[in-house]
């Protein structure tokens, strides 16, 4: 499976969220994950390839090759109109991932799902977590994921649950090759 992570703004942490999903794939499911440029379309590989194409000049080509597009957004979500029209209507496998999410914003997510008719299972959040930010800066995200459940800190446990939900969505929708299904 090949997944393209695309964020239209620099401040929303596309690379960090991709690192959280990669660590979650390894930690929860023992998947073999690599980060880099995907192979040609429909190539069969046991390895999951994740690509951050936010700053790539070749983003459109990479997105076309990948089995799954993960749109990395932020709340409030002013840029979704442009991205939604450009990518989601022509892509079958799209997940909307909100980074630096604060738990007091559930109404905005619910409203977004209704307005754009997005199935709730396609909307995932990575909550704001200073411990994760620290781990990401030091390239220790997998270590952080492994110690999270033992920390006993509500924010860490909430972070862990949300990352697992995002990983499950990536695995579910990334394997729906060619299926016409939006919600």
């Amino acid at each position: 499976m090949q997944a393209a992570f695309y964020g239209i703004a620099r401040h929303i942490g596309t690379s960090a969220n991709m690192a959280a999903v990669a660590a979650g794939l390894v930690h929860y499911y023992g998947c073999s994950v690599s980060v880099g440029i995907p192979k040609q379309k429909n190539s069969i590989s046991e390895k999951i390839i994740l690509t951050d194409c936010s700053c790539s000049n070749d983003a459109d080509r990479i997105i076309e090759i990948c089995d799954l597009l993960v749109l990395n957004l932020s709340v409030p979500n002013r840029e979704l109109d442009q991205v939604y029209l450009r990518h989601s209507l022509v892509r079958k496998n799209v997940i909307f991932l909100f980074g630096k999410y604060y738990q007091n914003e559930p109404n905005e997510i619910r409203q977004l799902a209704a307005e754009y008719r997005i199935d709730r299972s396609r909307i995932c959040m990575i909550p704001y977590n200073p411990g994760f930010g620290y781990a990401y800066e030091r390239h220790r995200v997998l270590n952080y994921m492994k110690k999270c459940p033992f920390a006993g800190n509500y924010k860490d446990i909430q972070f862990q649950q949300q990352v697992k939900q995002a990983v499950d969505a990536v695995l579910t929708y990334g394997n729906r090759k060619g299926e016409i299904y939006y919600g």
Side-chain angles (χ1 to χ4, degrees), residues 101-112 120 125:
Y101 177 77
Y102 290 92
Q103 297 298 39
N104 60 349
E105 299 169 336
N107 290 336
E108 291 184 33
I109 298 296
R110 209 173 301 118
Q111 184 179 22
L112 174 88
R120 212 33 202 102
M125 287 81 59

Side-chain angles (χ1 to χ4, degrees), residues 141-152:
V141 175
L142 184 56
N143 290 341
Y144 179 75
M145 294 295 291
K146 288 179 180 178
K147 80 171 184 90
C148 256
F150 305 108

Side-chain angles (χ1 to χ4, degrees), residues 14-164:
T14 303
S15 295
N17 290 340
M18 188 176 77
V21 169
L25 285 163
V26 171
H27 177 64
Y28 296 120
Y29 296 103
C31 296
S32 178
V33 177
S34 70
V35 174
I37 304 297
K39 298 175 179 149
Q40 68 274 10
K41 190 173 183 99
N42 298 328
S43 71
I44 298 175
S45 173
E46 292 181 24
K47 186 178 280 190
I48 297 172
I49 301 170
L50 305 180
T51 305
D52 179 1
C53 55
S54 297
C55 298
S56 173
N57 294 335
D58 227 6
D60 288 335
R61 186 189 68 77
I62 293 169
I63 290 169
E64 181 61 34
I65 290 172
C66 288
D67 303 310
L68 176 69
L69 172 60
V70 180
L71 288 175
N72 197 56
L73 304 164
S74 64
V75 174
N77 195 13
R78 296 179 197 103
E79 67 275 350
L80 186 58
D81 286 341
Q82 170 196 0
V83 174
Y84 188 76
L85 290 173
R86 183 173 176 203
H87 294 291
S88 70
L89 295 178
V90 297
R91 295 284 307 179
K92 296 176 182 96
N93 296 326
V94 179
I95 293 175
F96 301 87
L97 179 63
F98 289 89
K100 297 183 182 175
Y101 177 77
Y102 290 92
Q103 297 298 39
N104 60 349
E105 299 169 336
N107 290 336
E108 291 184 33
I109 298 296
R110 209 173 301 118
Q111 184 179 22
L112 174 88
E115 182 178 343
Y116 290 94
R117 296 186 342 202
I118 300 169
D119 186 78
R120 212 33 202 102
S121 66
R122 289 185 178 272
I123 299 175
C124 303
M125 287 81 59
I126 303 289
Y128 173 75
N129 185 300
F132 167 71
Y134 185 79
Y136 175 71
E137 290 172 3
R138 283 149 186 78
H139 305 285
R140 298 189 177 272
V141 175
L142 184 56
N143 290 341
Y144 179 75
M145 294 295 291
K146 288 179 180 178
K147 80 171 184 90
C148 256
F150 305 108
N153 180 339
Y154 174 75
K155 286 184 179 183
D156 289 340
I157 293 168
Q158 185 68 24
F159 176 81
Q160 190 95 350
Q161 290 171 344
Q162 294 295 326
V163 168
K164 182 154 184 346

